[in-house]
Amino acid sequence: MEATKVIIPVAGWGTRSLPATKNVPKEMLPVYKKPAVQYVVEEAIEADLNDVVFVTNQQKRIIEDHFDYNLSLEALLRRTGKEHLLRDVRQVAEMANIISVRQKEQLGLGHAVLCAREVVKQEPFAVMVGDDLMFSRSPAIKQLMEVAKTEHMPVVGVVEVPRERVSKYGIIQAEEFAPGLYRVRHVFEKPDPKDAPSRLAIVGRYVLTPEIFHYLENLEPGYDLEYQLTDALQALALDKRLLAVKLEGRRFDIGDWADYLSANIYFALKDEELKDELVERLGEFLTNKK
Ligand code: G1P
């Protein structure tokens, strides 16, 4: 059975991006013309994950609203003849079936995934972190779904990061059994660089089966005293099997300012109408002319 549902946890505080995220969810920070989370949903849709389950909280209603109709705005755009903008805003509202689940307390990523248990029931499902953007020829989540389908096992996506950044991510210890494919032995949440077994960092892309819920239910508080998805994956890897796939593509962590700003420039440079002017301005900044 193939996954059709994707859980996108969006209930985190986004403290790394304060003060920008004091009242705006980090997933709604714009990356060029779209909020960050829209890129994540578009990646899911490209992989035929049409049921999008947001794990949300009271402050995040604006995310669900972004994927809904805004009838007064649409009426205005129609009245003023702005058909292309009307098409864009309609298309966002119609791209996915949105299902929302509340995470009533922010107890960690593992707890957030557990909150969606009643929605995914007995089916395999994907998890995509709402502030991790991945761009590749084949959508990152699809790369994982293909492996999950042929190997019949849960799969996490990894990318290689510089050693000084391993303490920001879940890091795997694993054996490569085919190019870019790993059998995971251990997973460590945000290890000290000197203790990290590799530089293979988990990105916010996972394809899981309902057996993970058993491990999530039995979690003890872990790193930062939160219920960590990483700890449930560790238990799963020890008891059963867990694979990792080295993802092809470019990754931007929206909670990291250098990544966030690079993502904006990356997309803006793809816009032919803006490109030349932007390159000129960037050149001015770099040569300190102004
Ligand atoms: C979470 C996971 C971590 C993973 C990261 C990817 O951390 O706990 O294992 O590497 O997402 O973005 P967070 O970014 O929520 O601190």
Side-chain angles (χ1 to χ4, degrees), residues 12 16 26 108-110 129-133 157 166-171 187-190 200-206 223-224 226-231 233 251-255:
R16 286 187 297 164
K26 60 180 169 173
L109 184 59
V129 170
D131 53 356
D132 250 333
L133 307 190
V166 295
S167 56
K168 292 173 186 273
Y169 304 109
I171 300 292
V187 201
F188 301 90
E189 183 65 8
K190 305 192 172 85
L200 294 171
I202 299 182
V203 287
R205 302 289 181 273
Y206 311 77
Y223 183 89
D224 254 358
E226 291 189 339
Y227 294 95
Q228 297 290 348
L229 177 57
T230 300
D231 294 342
L233 294 171
R251 179 232 193 156
F252 299 105
D253 174 357
I254 290 308

Side-chain angles (χ1 to χ4, degrees), residues 5-245:
K5 294 193 174 95
V6 55
I7 300 176
I8 306 186
V10 292
W13 275 110
T15 47
R16 286 187 297 164
S17 308
L18 281 169
T21 48
K22 188 176 167 204
N23 281 295
V24 177
K26 60 180 169 173
E27 298 82 5
M28 289 301 288
L29 293 180
V31 173
Y32 189 37
K33 287 187 182 174
K34 303 182 218 172
V37 68
Q38 189 175 329
Y39 294 91
V40 179
V41 171
E42 285 172 352
E43 182 189 325
I45 301 301
E46 262 193 81
D48 293 323
L49 294 162
N50 295 312
D51 297 326
V52 172
V53 186
F54 285 128
V55 182
T56 175
N57 70 23
Q58 284 161 350
Q59 273 86 42
K60 305 276 182 146
R61 232 170 266 156
I62 187 177
I63 298 177
E64 292 149 68
D65 289 349
H66 183 69
F67 294 95
D68 199 350
Y69 293 126
N70 182 335
L71 297 178
S72 42
L73 173 64
E74 288 180 23
L76 172 86
L77 295 173
R78 200 170 290 115
R79 212 170 50 238
T80 52
K82 299 193 170 113
E83 295 297 329
H84 62 292
L85 292 176
L86 177 63
R87 240 191 343 267
D88 284 354
V89 299
R90 275 244 130 187
Q91 193 236 335
V92 184
E94 290 174 351
M95 66 173 56
N97 308 321
I98 303 292
I99 302 157
S100 286
V101 173
R102 281 286 177 98
Q103 185 183 20
K104 294 178 188 164
E105 286 178 282
Q106 272 54 78
L107 298 177
L109 184 59
H111 178 258
V113 173
L114 187 57
C115 289
R117 179 184 201 156
E118 295 308 316
V119 181
V120 300
K121 300 200 171 77
Q122 293 308 312
E123 298 161 27
F125 60 95
V127 177
M128 295 169 73
V129 170
D131 53 356
D132 250 333
L133 307 190
M134 282 291 305
F135 299 99
S136 42
R137 255 172 292 135
S138 164
I141 196 68
K142 199 166 180 182
Q143 296 175 39
L144 299 190
M145 287 166 71
E146 277 159 11
V147 175
K149 190 172 160 192
T150 49
E151 303 287 337
H152 303 285
M153 274 183 238
V155 183
V156 300
V158 293
V159 295
E160 210 151 25
V161 296
R163 188 153 286 275
E164 63 275 13
R165 290 173 71 100
V166 295
S167 56
K168 292 173 186 273
Y169 304 109
I171 300 292
I172 63 165
Q173 179 175 4
E175 290 139 29
E176 190 168 18
F177 64 91
L181 281 184
Y182 301 82
R183 167 94 199 261
V184 178
R185 298 291 175 191
H186 291 280
V187 201
F188 301 90
E189 183 65 8
K190 305 192 172 85
D192 199 297
K194 67 178 186 333
D195 305 325
S198 76
R199 293 191 291 115
L200 294 171
I202 299 182
V203 287
R205 302 289 181 273
Y206 311 77
V207 176
L208 302 172
T209 52
E211 65 190 354
I212 195 71
F213 293 123
H214 163 73
Y215 299 100
L216 289 172
E217 263 180 343
N218 291 295
L219 279 179
E220 299 286 335
Y223 183 89
D224 254 358
L225 296 180
E226 291 189 339
Y227 294 95
Q228 297 290 348
L229 177 57
T230 300
D231 294 342
L233 294 171
Q234 163 69 36
L236 177 76
L238 281 182
D239 255 18
K240 301 196 171 162
R241 279 168 166 227
L242 177 66
L243 298 184
V245 175

